[in-house]
Amino acid sequence: MLDIIQKRRSCRTFEPKKVERDKIDQLLRAALWSPTSKNNRPWEFVVVENPETLERLSKCKSHSAAFLSGAPLAIVVLGDPAKSDVWIEDCSIASILMQITAESIGLGSTWIQIRLRTDDEGNLASENVKKIINAPGSLEVLNIIAFGYKAKERAPYSEDVLLWEKVHYEKF
Ligand SMILES: Cc1cc2nc3c(=O)[nH]c(=O)nc-3n(C[C@H](O)[C@H](O)[C@H](O)COP(=O)(O)O)c2cc1C
């Protein structure tokens, strides 16, 4: 597990190759088995492979989503605030477990932040995304995760980057 965590780096350029159905299902198993507060499972996942939809999603916010148009697969992670007051935590856990699972099955991924982000006109990216994927207005979008086969490998993290000074024992 630590090897996988050390190797996982955000990947923003992908090979033009579809992700197989069984690999998509493995990502979804990781999400659907993830822990949630009170086992409320307030999340919803929208799998997107349609290039036109991916292109539209890549423009849902001002910065840092453009590379989505070159990804073969994205999963939009939504939460229901009416089902849980900690939907953000629950959706974040499902997201990172999908990213770690992706690394373990030879896929790259990147988290694209949607919550609290806006487009060039100041519209909420979350509202833009919901319109594109026909999601109910009552849900919130946490992120979109881009997945695919890595077009280039990035060096894994080294021991040197570990910020051990962030760790405190017994008292801060
Ligand atoms: C909460 C969160 C939001 C992020 N938002 C974006 C984003 O909108 N676009 C993007 O390209 N990368 C995004 N990233 C990826 C980070 O830039 C990346 O994880 C960070 O630079 C560390 O690099 P690494 O993933 O290779 O370890 C996000 C990551 C997290 C955890």
Side-chain angles (χ1 to χ4, degrees):
M1 179 56 92
L2 265 185
D3 277 352
I4 293 164
I5 290 171
Q6 195 176 355
K7 277 195 208 130
R8 187 220 51 83
R9 300 301 313 275
S10 292
C11 173
R12 299 180 180 87
T13 41
F14 302 97
E15 284 181 12
K17 181 184 169 189
K18 269 180 83 94
V19 176
E20 297 83 347
R21 183 75 237 176
D22 72 300
K23 289 202 172 182
I24 298 175
D25 287 347
Q26 291 191 58
L27 299 176
L28 294 168
R29 276 191 180 85
L32 297 170
W33 273 330
S34 67
T36 58
S37 172
K38 300 177 188 164
N39 208 16
N40 269 336
R41 296 182 280 188
W43 19 242
E44 302 283 339
F45 306 97
V46 179
V47 179
V48 181
E49 293 181 280
N50 182 311
E52 268 174 42
T53 313
L54 290 165
E55 170 71 24
R56 289 181 68 199
L57 288 173
S58 78
K59 296 179 178 141
C60 72
K61 67 169 184 169
S62 309
H63 303 289
S64 322
F67 67 92
L68 195 48
S69 62
L73 169 69
I75 297 181
V76 184
V77 181
L78 305 101
D80 187 344
K83 285 202 177 135
S84 176
D85 57 347
V86 290
W87 67 270
I88 298 171
E89 288 85 342
D90 293 338
C91 289
S92 298
I93 291 165
S95 298
I96 194 63
L97 288 183
M98 284 196 282
Q99 290 198 267
I100 294 295
T101 301
E103 184 63 41
S104 79
I105 56 176
L107 299 172
S109 72
T110 291
W111 175 311
I112 298 168
Q113 183 68 21
I114 298 302
R115 193 180 73 89
L116 303 179
R117 296 293 177 261
T118 55
D119 65 16
D120 290 336
E121 279 83 50
N123 305 303
L124 281 175
S126 179
E127 294 303 316
N128 295 340
V129 171
K130 283 192 279 182
K131 271 185 211 139
I132 296 167
I133 60 170
N134 283 348
S138 55
L139 300 183
E140 298 284 349
V141 183
L142 177 67
N143 62 21
I144 303 172
I145 309 178
F147 295 98
Y149 288 94
K150 300 172 200 176
K152 52 183 177 210
E153 281 291 334
R154 293 180 65 189
Y157 276 120
S158 68
E159 286 284 322
D160 303 342
V161 304
L162 292 172
L163 299 179
W164 287 108
E165 65 272 26
K166 297 279 191 186
V167 183
H168 312 274
Y169 293 95
E170 312 297 347
K171 288 187 179 176
F172 194 93

